[in-house]
Amino acid sequence: MASNSIKLLAPDVHRNLAELVAKRLGLRLTDADLKRDPTGEVSFSIGESVRDQDIYIIMQIGSGVVNDRVLELLIMINACKTASARRITAVIPNFPYARQDRKDKSRAPITAKLMADMLTTSGCDHVITMDLHASQIQGFFDIPVDNLYAEPSVVRYIKENVSWKEAAIISPDAGGAKRAATLADRLDLNFALIHKERARANEVSRMVLVGDVTDKICIIVDDMADTCGTLGKAAEVLLDHGAKSVIAIVTHGVLSGRAIENINNSKLDRVVCTNTVPFEEKMKSCSKLDVVDVSSVLAESIRRLHNGESISYLFKHYPL
Amino acid sequence: MGEIVIFGGDSHPELVKMICDNLAIHSSKVQMGKFSNGETSVSVRESVREKDVYVIQSGCGHVNDTFMELLILISACKTASASRVTAVMPYFCYSRQPDIPYTNKGAPLISRTSEERSDEFNKSLSTGLTTRKPGAESPFEGPESSIRSDGGRSEDSKPSSSSSNSTSNSDGIKKSVSFSRIPVIADGKDAGSTKADAGELFNAQNAGYKLWVAQAGTLIANLLTTAGADHVITMDLHDPQFQGFFDISVDNLYCKPLAQKHIQFGIPNYKEAVIVSPDAGGAKRATSIADALKLSFALIHKERRSQLLKGPPGATLSSGGTFSTNPKPLVSHLHSADMHPSNSASKYVQTTMLVGDVRNKVCIIVDDLVDTSYTITRAAKLLKDQGASKVYALITHGIFSGDALSRIRQSAIDKLIVSNTVPQHETVAYLGKDKVDVMDVSRIFAEAIRRVHNGESISMLFEHGW
């Protein structure tokens, strides 16, 4: 690249992750001024020139105002594009609408595909995300997508914070079996699966445990925790089958609705989320929450992407 | 082309119902909702295969949510093999392309309002009064200290405070007069974040470096195309050029025929009325109505001159007011408080001029879009000061965000005529039925949909309405 300068942008809300990334990279977050009018329309101005520069927009999309965040992101990308930025990378650790990834009913929208198209349309050149709900979503894009894994960070957390030698890795549903199995292989631990029959979204019906968890510390691994109803039920099933204790490790702790209540009332010892989703406020009202910092993974991927180095190292290793 | 299917978004169900009634069909079933994490869920309950689909969603309410709903619905229809999907957006969101950032008080309009600050309404309104008739209308002529000591009242006098202060119109106005007669306090009280931000931008602009603001117009157009819209029907786009941002066909309907009818049948003695454009940007729109009805026309023009003023404030008055020496055309000046020495950073002189005669006439302010209502309430004040007997405001899209409604209630506007492209229940409830007339645009949209579906020309709707 002719111009080698890099700029990090983040919206005015939920800057924690972006600040951690910036600190790790030794960069300053560029002033980006997002303003909203009472109806929600967004206007955006960048405090400095972005001409011919490599732009990274770090957007944390939590629960609640997803559409606002999405439009803000698109407008920021488009603004940089019209301001002649050389390349724009959207860093969206928690990809919005990732669960709307297939036509599961007649005439259901494939919103994840729409999101991909919208990002491309707005002028995005590259996407960095983490633990996509379905890695096939990468195929929805016409631009390169780097799907990072939280696994190295999670492995590190488990090794440091759990007496992991006597643990077992549990997948709370069939869909996440592969993710859990990889982690189990990585740590050389037993693996069990909870099979559930889901009547409606966010509702749990019947749960069957496949595998032995007697006297084990069970680590439930999932990519997303929403209302946490599933996790709570899974913990009960595991304890009924003789588990010693249960902790849950999820990548995206959306924790919407009655999640905090569900966690507090559940038999889970701990719920560990990465900081892809902002949930600092929620940690205050729930002592069972813990956080895994993934900012160094994101920072390293940004550094490697900017310098044109391979990113695949990060899929297996935690950057030190 | 298959048969017609109409879906209504969540933003304006009433308009959807009226459009469907006019077309004598039912809107098809669609369920909109949100997942617990805030993502929008859409489920289309009827088959759309090979059908001609119309999705009606106005850009009102919480704009980003309604817009995403629209996009998802369009995309759902498209993936469900609809033969054509038309987005019907009575009010097109993000159609304003301001070059100053939005504030929490409201979004600015294009270029025209780029020259104004939202918080300057009080000041310009009242300084205008005091420069022309010093103290005559102020009940607080006495020692300024009596007001200065009363911090609470000066806060009350902001029209922004909620419904509690709207007990009496005249009271509110008088208070704001007294309030801004002491600009030292006014600055202190008003120098909120909005002013600081906007002011900085203006100063930056003044210094030769222009901080630009992203303009989302093209993006929004492209997003609609990306989602799969084949056609867009909208009304009174703020920028006619906006049509050019689309790669698909856009039908921009006009509210004008409806507005003309409302003037002819709703305003007594309309032949004596004057059509007023509240700013230069809307002059074309206003003149076309004036021409069609053969009415006279007046224009309020706002100038913001970025001249460097070196002399004392007195000198700035005369230098800014060169036009006042000419008595022939009716020109009035409102000097904004920017010139006050306390506000040393600002080097602007703002002149508001009324071009045209309105004395003892009924004035009809015509504008396409009212959000914060600063422009029209200020225009109404100026017109009343110039002797207008009655002031009507004729608006296509009444968004009325923030405390716009309370501002209108306190203003000199006698009657508001507004279309229902955006729901107006709140407006009617707040201002009272006799102060608001709602123009029904559903017939125009219904006819446009019918004609587009049947492949007929819709240009007749531009001139004659329906």
Side-chain angles (χ1 to χ4, degrees), chain A residues 35-45 63-64 66-68 79 83 97 99-100 103 107 109 117 121 226 254 256, chain B residues 35-37 39-40 42 44 46 61-65 79-80 94 96 101-103 106-107 197 212-214 222 226:
Chain A
K35 290 263 162 56
R36 299 158 191 89
D37 83 340
T39 59
E41 279 194 22
V42 181
S43 90
F44 172 63
S45 61
S63 64
V66 177
N67 294 335
D68 283 347
Y97 288 103
R99 277 179 293 185
Q100 301 281 298
K103 219 165 134 176
R107 300 177 291 279
D117 287 345
T121 303
D226 203 335
V254 181
S256 63
Chain B
F35 295 112
S36 63
N37 62 356
E39 292 178 355
T40 301
V42 168
V44 179
E46 283 178 34
H62 195 87
V63 171
N64 297 336
D65 279 342
T79 36
Y94 284 102
R96 290 166 287 179
Y102 294 174
T103 66
D197 294 348
W212 63 274
V213 174
N222 288 338
T226 303

Side-chain angles (χ1 to χ4, degrees), chain B residues 28 71 102 118 193 270 303 388:
Chain B
S28 298
L71 293 178
Y102 294 174
S118 53
S193 55
Y270 80 92
E303 250 180 26

